[in-house]
Amino acid sequence: MLEGLEVINWHELEHAYGMADDVPELLRSLASADAPSRQDALSKLYSNIYHQGTVFEATVYAIPFLLELSQTEAVQDRDKILIYLAHLARSHSYLEEHQNLLFYNDELDKPEFQVQIQHEMIWIRRVNRAVRSGINVYLSLLKHNDSKLRIAAPYILAYCQRQASEFIPYLKHCLAQERSSQVRASLILSLGFLEPPQLANIELFMQFLSSEESDLVRLAAAMTLVRLAKDKTPLEAIAIPIEIIEHPISVKEAYARLPWANSDVISDACACLCYLGATGNVVIPALINALKTVDGYSALSLVRTLLYLAFNGHKLADTIEYKNTSVQKSVIEAIASYDRVWQFNSNMAHLLRSFGLPQERNQLQAFL
């Protein structure tokens, strides 16, 4: 296993901290029988060859070995390796992402700066191609006895969109046979990223809204429908994220174990409702009501979604005037009224500022 590691001149390759000569030992540690050693190695790989979402020349050379580890039965935590590979597949260029920072102002027009960006874009394309080369590995794991692997495999397949038409039928076949709610949810979310938003696909996901399905599966289907159908989302699909926001206990822990979870289930359910656009007014009363029961952290997510829907994603100060509509007024009144909304004052001030609103509670009440 991992034959060929020493053939690569790692000291001639670079990652976020300089020479990549530490990468071979970290890759070997991923196969260790010692859990802390595996965790430490993966943490360091997240930091050096995938630094803050960016990849480097050394990243490309590590991927074949990561693929080998992900299909070796003796290796533990292979689901974490698959998730790591998925993150590599959605990576970006460091300079492209950071070129607007002040300390790059004098570098932007220099030829060598633009050449470096082009080099980084080549690395990204090579990383994406290398990750996609493992499609057959990921597909084989959809039938593995370990449910963690069956959950992780759809997640990485969602980033292999170029070949999606070749394996979507197999994903649907696996979904029809799968009994684990978490795996079914992961398959549904994956198909939602791979399938185009056509009527036939909308109908496919509608069938998973049935009360016979688990709450987790219903939520995954509803979030997928909202993202695909947007302002044409059926009301029965819209109702499910609202239901989960009000009563998250049934899915909270199971959702958190999905690689798809960007945050907690309330925050992600709120975020998906932003896709509703102009039709989002229908959920505003329920979201305002939820402000009475959620904790301060979740209140931030609710307020962000309420403002986005009430003001169509625009800042008051920049693009629209405050029209004092009943919807807008009810949202601002709710924000000003509930104590738990102001548990994290600095976060709330930043959020209100992003919508051009007064940042302090007494100022918001005066604005009303």
Side-chain angles (χ1 to χ4, degrees):
M1 184 170 59
L2 301 181
E3 294 179 4
L5 265 180
E6 299 304 330
V7 175
I8 297 171
N9 295 321
W10 295 98
H11 62 281
E12 295 180 1
L13 303 175
E14 290 189 350
H15 56 41
Y17 304 114
M19 288 191 304
D21 49 2
D22 58 336
V23 172
E25 188 56 37
L26 293 175
L27 291 171
R28 290 192 185 93
S29 294
L30 290 179
S32 170
D34 180 62
S37 295
R38 295 195 304 272
Q39 182 57 43
D40 180 66
L42 189 59
S43 177
K44 288 177 178 175
L45 288 168
Y46 265 108
S47 180
N48 58 14
I49 62 173
Y50 177 69
H51 184 73
Q52 298 178 0
T54 62
V55 292
F56 303 85
E57 185 179 19
T59 314
V60 181
Y61 290 86
I63 291 175
F65 301 107
L66 292 166
L67 287 172
E68 181 183 355
L69 290 166
S70 70
Q71 60 186 312
T72 302
E73 288 294 330
V75 174
Q76 302 179 58
D77 294 335
R78 287 190 286 158
D79 57 309
K80 295 178 181 178
I81 297 175
L82 291 177
I83 293 168
Y84 179 65
L85 283 165
H87 291 162
L88 295 182
R90 62 180 187 183
S91 57
H92 47 255
S93 155
Y94 180 85
L95 289 182
E96 187 179 42
E97 286 293 310
H98 295 83
Q99 60 184 309
N100 293 325
L101 296 178
L102 290 177
F103 56 78
Y104 282 126
N105 282 351
D106 296 334
E107 305 292 326
L108 293 177
D109 296 329
K110 293 182 179 179
E112 54 267 29
F113 185 88
Q114 295 302 320
V115 168
Q116 183 60 26
I117 287 183
Q118 292 306 312
H119 277 307
E120 291 184 2
M121 297 308 295
I122 291 172
W123 300 342
I124 289 172
R125 288 193 291 271
R126 291 178 65 189
V127 164
N128 289 338
R129 187 161 56 246
V131 172
R132 292 198 307 271
S133 72
I135 284 179
N136 287 337
V137 175
Y138 317 142
L139 289 173
S140 69
L141 295 175
L142 290 172
K143 291 291 189 180
H144 199 277
N145 292 332
D146 187 345
S147 63
K148 290 181 181 179
L149 292 173
R150 302 203 308 278
I151 290 169
Y155 183 65
I156 188 170
L157 284 166
Y159 296 100
C160 301
Q161 294 178 332
R162 290 188 181 182
Q163 295 97 327
S165 60
E166 301 172 12
F167 60 78
I168 281 177
Y170 186 63
L171 288 183
K172 292 179 178 178
H173 167 75
C174 292
L175 178 57
Q177 295 190 328
E178 183 60 58
R179 293 295 172 263
S180 163
S181 292
Q182 282 191 300
V183 180
R184 286 167 65 77
S186 188
L187 284 163
I188 288 168
L189 290 165
S190 182
L191 285 166
F193 274 90
L194 296 168
E195 291 273 34
Q198 299 171 349
L199 179 60
N201 296 327
I202 301 299
E203 292 174 350
L204 166 68
F205 298 116
M206 286 292 292
Q207 67 179 296
F208 297 108
L209 302 181
S210 166
S211 59
E212 296 179 0
E213 297 283 358
S214 71
D215 285 348
L216 183 64
V217 168
R218 293 170 67 237
L219 177 63
M223 292 173 71
T224 297
L225 283 163
V226 172
R227 192 176 61 80
L228 291 178
K230 297 182 174 60
D231 59 352
K232 296 180 176 60
T233 304
L235 289 177
E236 54 264 48
I238 295 174
I240 292 173
I242 295 296
E243 174 188 328
I244 296 302
I245 289 168
E246 293 175 335
H247 306 286
I249 298 301
S250 65
V251 300
K252 186 174 182 178
E253 291 185 8
Y255 182 82
R257 292 195 295 271
L258 290 177
W260 303 91
N262 290 318
S263 186
D264 71 343
V265 67
I266 291 179
S267 296
D268 286 2
C270 285
C272 91
L273 293 174
C274 291
Y275 285 105
L276 293 174
T279 63
N281 282 356
V282 300
V283 305
I284 285 178
L287 293 179
I288 289 175
N289 190 59
L291 281 174
K292 301 174 185 177
T293 58
V294 298
D295 59 26
Y297 176 78
S298 296
L300 291 171
S301 299
L302 281 166
V303 168
R304 184 182 296 107
T305 301
L306 282 166
L307 290 172
Y308 187 92
L309 295 175
F311 296 103
N312 298 316
H314 297 298
K315 288 184 180 180
L316 284 174
D318 290 353
T319 56
I320 62 172
E321 296 180 359
Y322 175 60
K323 298 180 179 179
N324 197 26
T325 65
S326 59
V327 170
Q328 292 174 344
K329 188 173 182 179
S330 65
V331 167
I332 296 177
E333 284 178 341
I335 294 170
S337 298
Y338 297 125
D339 291 341
R340 68 181 70 248
V341 169
W342 300 92
Q343 183 174 341
F344 301 105
N345 278 349
S346 59
N347 301 75
M348 184 57 61
H350 176 76
L351 181 54
L352 291 169
R353 183 169 61 248
S354 70
F355 281 89
L357 287 165
Q359 298 164 45
E360 295 184 13
R361 190 174 186 178
N362 60 345
Q363 293 174 342
L364 197 62
Q365 290 167 338
F367 176 76
L368 280 166

